[in-house]
């Protein structure tokens, strides 16, 4: 399997803060505000995607901007208000990694990552904050598996092939200890990909530090 990584937030509300700059090189990047449905902003190995794919019929708007880039640490923010429209996801505004992808998983020993974020909101928010990875059967091929690591679940829910009588998704594995946290794993199809979603057993993780390969190795 081959990897592709999105650092994403669904109907997004993430604000990622960089680690202190130290001796890192701070890149000159476009920090202007972008609000277009399909706007993108490239910053060296990363790309901000507005990706407002489900806004047809919805009321509201969303903007996003890059804040800073130091080596592999990127900071970005987004603000939004969405309502109405045809149910479901309005946007998946995210940071996509464009370099070093399409490698065979067996050739990757670790993918250490940290993510600090915060949000404020009013009203009822339906959102998640998540890492989103895709694997395929050939380098650069179409996505086959989608692996998500959710750090927050605000009235949303993972894709699941099984639901309880009260309508709750039923995990395929529970209380998995990884990256110093406890996770439930859900699986199901979105019609195109097998989706595997790790969700915190409880609460919200606003400061994550771990090795994404630990999650992928568990699945492999
Ligand atoms: C988001 O912030 C931008 C820049 O300050 C502003 O122009 C826009 O109206 C805001 N959008 C929402 C949905 O709050």
């Amino acid at each position: 399997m081959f990897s592709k990584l999105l650092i994403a937030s669904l109907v997004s509300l993430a604000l990622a803060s960089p680690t202190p700059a130290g001796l890192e090189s701070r890149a000159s990047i476009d920090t202007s505000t972008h609000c277009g449905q399909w706007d993108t902003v490239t910053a060296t190995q990363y790309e901000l995607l507005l990706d407002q794919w489900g806004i047809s019929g919805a009321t509201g708007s969303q903007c996003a901007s890059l804040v800073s880039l130091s080596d592999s640490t990127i900071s970005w923010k987004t603000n939004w208000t969405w309502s109405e429209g045809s149910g479901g996801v309005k946007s998946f505004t995210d940071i996509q990694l464009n370099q070093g992808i399409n490698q065979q998983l067996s050739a990757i020993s670790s993918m250490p990552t940290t993510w600090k974020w915060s949000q404020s909101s009013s009203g009822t928010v339906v959102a998640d904050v998540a890492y989103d990875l895709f694997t395929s059967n050939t380098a650069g091929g179409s996505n086959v598996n989608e692996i998500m690591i959710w750090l927050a679940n605000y009235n949303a829910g993972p894709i699941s092939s099984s639901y309880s009588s009260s309508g709750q998704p039923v995990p395929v594995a529970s209380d998995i200890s990884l990256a110093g946290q406890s996770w439930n794993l859900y699986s199901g199809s979105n019609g195109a990909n097998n989706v595997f979603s790790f969700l915190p057993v409880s609460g919200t993780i606003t400061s994550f530090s771990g090795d994404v390969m630990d999650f992928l190795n568990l699945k492999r």
Side-chain angles (χ1 to χ4, degrees), residues 25-192:
S25 65
R26 186 158 274 239
S28 173
I29 56 168
D30 173 2
T31 57
S32 64
T33 301
H34 293 259
C35 310
Q37 182 175 12
W38 302 110
D39 283 3
T40 62
V41 185
T42 298
T44 316
Q45 73 271 44
Y46 296 116
E47 187 174 9
L48 169 68
L49 289 85
L50 272 285
D51 195 9
Q52 302 172 0
W53 60 268
I55 61 172
S56 174
T59 304
S61 62
Q62 180 167 12
C63 300
S65 59
L66 297 177
V67 175
S68 65
L69 173 66
S70 301
D71 295 336
S72 63
T73 299
I74 192 160
S75 173
W76 63 292
K77 60 186 178 181
T78 184
N79 63 339
W80 55 270
T81 168
W82 292 119
S83 60
E84 310 304 330
S86 51
V89 176
K90 306 296 188 292
S91 69
F92 207 102
T93 301
D94 65 87
I95 296 290
Q96 178 172 285
L97 179 66
N98 286 338
Q99 291 177 10
I101 59 171
N102 294 328
Q103 296 184 50
Q104 196 137 23
L105 285 183
S106 58
I108 304 172
S109 54
S110 70
M111 291 174 65
T113 174
T114 61
W115 189 356
K116 293 185 176 67
W117 60 275
S118 63
Q119 63 91 17
S120 61
S121 59
S122 59
T124 302
V125 173
V126 181
D128 70 47
V129 177
Y131 290 91
D132 195 12
L133 299 96
F134 295 87
T135 63
S136 60
N137 293 335
T138 55
S142 53
N143 300 331
V144 175
N145 296 302
E146 177 174 2
I147 299 98
M148 304 188 79
I149 304 170
W150 291 38
L151 303 185
N153 173 18
Y154 297 107
N155 305 300
I159 286 176
S160 179
S161 56
S162 167
Y163 290 86
S164 70
S165 54
S166 61
Q168 295 301 308
V170 177
V172 294
S174 306
D175 292 315
I176 305 163
S177 292
L178 287 174
Q181 309 279 346
S182 206
W183 309 86
N184 289 334
L185 173 61
Y186 300 84
S187 101
S189 172
N190 65 5

